Amino acid sequence: MLFIYGRGVFVCSRKGRPILWGEHKKALALILMIMMLTLGSCCIAQANNVATQTVTYFIADINELSNLAPVTLTINTATAGAMPVPATDSSTTYSITAIGLLKKKITARIDTAMPPDLTLKVKLQAPNSWATSLGDVALSTIAKDVVRDIRIVINKSVGITYTLSPVGSTPPAPTSGARTVTFTLMDQ
């Protein structure tokens, strides 16, 4: 332990007697230098081997829906005395990637209204076990839900079924046309 007393500096010895600085100057200087180097290198080593960096991440809400090959529906059969048999097609599928915190749904609509004596329906299979298909949905120019309660999902080749049916008790007149069906994947 160092003490400053008057004009001189003293160091306590083991026996508790003061020893004049001048007598042990070299030994004390060496001890102090070793202590400073040890403490200094310890602090330097700690300062140089630790670094921090903040990494910010974000997973965006992803809504991807794709399809779709063209479909042709032809009503060309009937039982005598009965309305024509509806035409169905299950040859197309859709693929979906939906990632987000909220449940999703798929809606469907057509670009132009159907003739009054025909209805076009669509049925989408649910893309996973917790989603709900709403079955055959008659399409109109107003978007209607076709699948609900979609949670995080990635799925390919999910089935689509279209049905073209006569409406009412009068058979439809021979006609042809095309409708564009728009599917939208959105928050529920």
Side-chain angles (χ1 to χ4, degrees), residues 90-169:
S90 298
S91 65
T92 61
T93 61
Y94 71 98
S95 298
I96 182 172
T97 298
I99 299 173
L101 298 176
L102 301 174
K103 290 180 185 177
K104 310 287 183 189
K105 68 180 181 178
I106 300 173
T107 63
R109 67 177 178 82
I110 51 177
D111 59 335
T112 307
M114 293 297 292
D117 53 359
L118 287 175
T119 184
L120 178 61
K121 295 179 182 177
V122 68
K123 177 182 179 181
L124 271 65
Q125 290 179 348
N128 52 27
S129 60
W130 49 83
T132 304
S133 171
L134 298 179
D136 288 319
V137 175
L139 295 173
S140 72
T141 56
I142 298 169
K144 296 181 180 180
D145 293 356
V146 291
V147 179
R148 295 183 58 83
D149 300 324
I150 300 168
R151 295 189 183 105
I152 296 173
V153 64
I154 299 172
N155 200 343
K156 289 183 180 179
S157 302
V158 184
I160 300 174
T161 301
Y162 285 99
T163 304
L164 180 66
S165 303
V167 175
S169 58

Side-chain angles (χ1 to χ4, degrees), residues 16-32:
R17 291 182 313 168
I19 301 172
L20 187 62
W21 172 263
E23 295 176 7
H24 301 302
K25 197 186 310 185
K26 286 184 181 178
L28 291 173
L30 182 61
I31 290 171
L32 287 174

